[in-house]
């Protein structure tokens, strides 16, 4: 079995780990680092439940090898709240009842974080297009889009780590 030594920064903390060359990033996060907020919904790159930020860009972590993340910065859902306060996007999901079982929510939030950083004035259509790779089996998308638009309108949706150092 071939292994690689990787050095990554996860939610602001440096991690040096020996990983199996074939280990997927999602399993490195969940099993090695116990960051189980990142979910596995399909394992076939369809559902988006495993979405995290890799150097600020949303990626499906079931499509990336842990070894490919070497030297990079990873942000997971555990890394976006600060000071005991939910991230504005998380707060908006709560206020707009944009989740039921919550399984898709971490991936939705991370995908939206990336989208709203690139497009702070995203329209409903932009948000829907941006979430094409994220599936929700129970809430439906209306409340999720409303939460995203509301957080965007507050101007704070893109705040937080993994965005090149912008202040919260
Ligand atoms: S688990 Fe990665 S896209 Fe579904
Ligand atoms: S809230 Fe249950 S899958 Fe989206």
């Amino acid at each position: 079995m071939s292994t690689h030594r990787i050095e990554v920064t996860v939610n602001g903390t440096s991690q040096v780990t020996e990983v199996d060359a074939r280990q997927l990033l999602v399993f490195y996060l969940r099993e090695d680092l116990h960051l189980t907020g990142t979910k596995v919904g399909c394992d076939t790159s369809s559902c988006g439940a495993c979405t995290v930020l890799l150097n600020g860009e949303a990626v499906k972590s079931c499509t990336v090898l842990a070894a490919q993340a070497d030297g990079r910065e990873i942000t997971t859902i555990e890394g976006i709240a600060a000071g005991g306060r939910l991230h504005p996007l998380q707060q908006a999901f709560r206020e707009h009842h944009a989740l039921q079982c919550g399984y898709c929510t971490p991936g939705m939030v991370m995908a939206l974080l990336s989208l709203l950083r690139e497009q702070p004035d995203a329209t409903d259509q932009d948000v829907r297009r941006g979430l094409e790779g994220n599936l929700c089996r129970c809430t439906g998308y209306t409340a999720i889009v409303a939460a995203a638009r509301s957080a965007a309108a507050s101007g704070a949706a893109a705040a937080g780590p993994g965005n090149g150092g912008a202040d919260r």
Side-chain angles (χ1 to χ4, degrees):
M1 179 173 66
S2 142
T3 60
H4 284 285
R5 180 179 178 275
I6 62 168
E7 189 166 347
V8 291
T9 301
V10 183
N11 299 333
T13 302
S14 176
Q15 305 279 355
V16 180
T17 320
E18 199 75 29
V19 295
D20 185 311
R22 298 163 303 173
Q23 186 175 24
L24 294 172
L25 180 59
V26 66
F27 294 116
Y28 168 66
L29 294 170
R30 287 178 56 83
E31 294 172 4
D32 292 27
L33 302 186
H34 308 295
L35 294 172
T36 54
T38 302
K39 304 301 186 201
V40 181
C42 66
D43 231 354
T44 57
S45 77
S46 305
C47 75
C50 62
T51 304
V52 299
L53 301 187
L54 190 58
N55 279 4
E57 284 192 25
V59 297
K60 292 179 177 178
S61 59
C62 74
T63 67
V64 179
L65 293 170
Q68 290 176 297
D70 186 26
R72 303 207 200 173
E73 180 182 338
I74 300 161
T75 307
T76 71
I77 192 71
E78 289 90 347
I80 66 169
R85 297 171 64 111
L86 293 175
H87 184 278
L89 261 172
Q90 293 173 304
Q91 185 63 32
F93 266 62
R94 181 177 178 178
E95 287 167 6
H96 288 265
H97 308 291
L99 64 150
Q100 286 184 34
C101 77
Y103 203 83
C104 70
T105 309
M108 291 278 181
V109 169
M110 299 314 285
L112 286 168
L113 196 49
S114 173
L115 173 76
L116 295 177
R117 283 175 181 167
E118 283 174 23
Q119 266 183 287
D121 53 355
T123 63
D124 275 27
Q125 200 178 13
D126 294 329
V127 171
R128 286 179 186 278
R129 198 175 301 125
L131 290 178
E132 276 176 358
N134 292 76
L135 303 179
C136 176
R137 293 181 62 137
C138 44
T139 304
Y141 299 91
T142 301
I144 292 170
V145 174
R149 296 294 309 287
S150 158
S154 78
N163 68 346
D167 288 333
R168 313 193 71 172

